[in-house]
Amino acid sequence: MTRQELCQKAVEMLSRAYVPYSHFPVGAALECSDGTVFTGCNVENAAYGPSNCAERTAVFKAVSEGYRSFRRIAITADSDAFCPPCGVCRQVLQEFAPDLEVILVNRRGETKRLTLRELLPYSFGSSNLEEK
């Protein structure tokens, strides 16, 4: 899958977002190492805490289907600004893919490419839990 196709899949998820409170739809498309793609959108809840971000929706769908190795993720919002993943999503992504390529897409179709390590330097991971 091309980078542009992955970004388009993320854009397509904007219309599926459930955002009656923030009115800020976010879409994500997560590409696994074997090329399989899982998409996600944000899903809000009136209690706010149970809400889920688009990135975590995509990761949880992938993991629930047995996928654990990810290559890249495209994230978009209906915004002129780029929408990077929140801290919680960064930590969830780090659990599975610390070297993940992150592609941010704004509403004009412009992209910005980063690595998860750039977004989450000095991250906490499984190596921190190893006994010394």
Side-chain angles (χ1 to χ4, degrees), residues 3 8 25 36 47-48 60-61 63 75 79-80 85 89 102 128:
R3 187 173 287 111
Q8 183 56 40
T36 303
Y48 293 108
F60 296 159
K61 285 169 64 176
V63 171
I75 305 163
S79 169
D80 288 334
C89 288
V102 179
N128 296 99

Side-chain angles (χ1 to χ4, degrees), residues 3-120:
R3 187 173 287 111
Q4 184 176 3
E5 290 170 330
L6 188 68
C7 292
Q8 183 56 40
K9 286 192 173 292
V11 169
E12 290 168 5
M13 292 307 296
L14 292 174
S15 65
R16 294 190 183 180
Y18 178 73
V19 291
Y21 310 106
S22 72
H23 307 288
F24 190 79
V26 179
L30 178 67
E31 184 178 11
C32 301
S33 295
D34 72 353
T36 303
V37 174
F38 289 89
T39 56
C41 61
N42 51 330
V43 180
E44 295 180 347
N45 185 280
Y48 293 108
S51 297
N52 202 52
C53 297
E55 301 92 311
R56 282 183 283 143
T57 298
V59 170
F60 296 159
K61 285 169 64 176
V63 171
S64 71
E65 295 297 323
Y67 292 82
R68 306 278 192 285
S69 180
F70 309 124
R71 179 182 304 153
R72 58 189 172 179
I73 188 168
I75 305 163
T76 189
D78 188 16
S79 169
D80 288 334
F82 294 113
C83 181
C86 75
V88 173
C89 288
R90 293 176 195 200
Q91 184 63 44
V92 168
L93 291 165
Q94 193 282 338
E95 179 73 17
F96 298 99
D99 295 312
L100 188 71
E101 177 185 0
V102 179
I103 307 162
L104 307 177
V105 186
N106 67 14
R107 74 165 57 127
R108 293 186 299 265
E110 300 165 330
T111 60
K112 180 174 187 146
R113 292 171 44 202
L114 302 156
T115 65
L116 187 57
R117 289 189 192 279
E118 289 175 297
L119 289 169
L120 190 63

